[in-house]
Amino acid sequence: IYKFKGADKICLVTDATRGAGANEGDVVMLGKLDGSTAVIVEDGVAKMFDRQSFAGSIATSDRLFRTVRELVGLPLHEISKMISRTPARIMGYDDRGAIEVGKRADLITMDENLNVNKIYLNGERIN
């Protein structure tokens, strides 16, 4: 898809459930806060306890970033564009998605393994 569309026409988004970021073997609750359904995390996804169907994604955006880098081998600046600038542009958010004067300073930094290590919201570090 990247060869045909390029980073300007591809959005990396997650459809993660409330269990986003859960670990193997974790039991997470999905659905409404009052009347949730318990599911188990196995093989990187949430599954119903009978293992007959998926219950939803647990993929976080940083996981998408690492997966595209590892499996597709795209340059980091192209992956970054697909997960920030392109979605912001498509949704009409002209004030974000890039590091530029006049844009919101909502940023993350990642370590050498592409794990999030700092988060900034409106230019203020929040972690």
Side-chain angles (χ1 to χ4, degrees), residues 13-116:
V13 295
T14 177
D15 62 346
T17 62
R18 211 167 39 172
N23 297 309
E24 284 293 305
D26 285 354
V27 173
V28 295
M29 303 304 287
L30 303 181
K32 297 178 183 179
L33 293 176
D34 60 342
S36 298
T37 301
V39 298
I40 188 162
V41 174
E42 290 181 335
D43 305 317
V45 298
K47 297 179 181 179
M48 301 303 291
F49 270 100
D50 64 6
R51 277 60 168 199
Q52 296 298 306
S53 62
F54 293 132
S57 171
I58 59 162
T60 55
S61 293
D62 58 318
R63 181 172 166 189
L64 294 177
F65 201 103
R66 285 189 301 276
T67 299
V68 171
R69 177 64 174 172
E70 292 166 12
L71 297 181
V72 184
L74 296 181
L76 297 178
H77 71 277
E78 294 287 273
I79 302 168
S80 181
K81 186 185 289 186
M82 293 187 297
I83 209 161
S84 60
R85 178 172 248 168
T86 302
R89 179 182 47 77
I90 289 170
M91 292 186 298
Y93 292 120
D94 297 330
D95 65 336
R96 61 196 82 184
I99 302 172
E100 296 174 0
V101 174
K103 304 257 186 203
R104 286 174 51 149
D106 296 345
L107 309 164
I108 63 161
T109 63
M110 301 174 114
D111 64 20
E112 62 278 352
N113 296 314
L114 303 179
N115 294 301
V116 174

Side-chain angles (χ1 to χ4, degrees), residues 114-125:
L114 303 179
N115 294 301
V116 174
N117 61 10
K118 295 178 189 168
I119 302 171
Y120 296 85
L121 182 61
N122 290 317
E124 298 291 326
R125 187 170 173 184

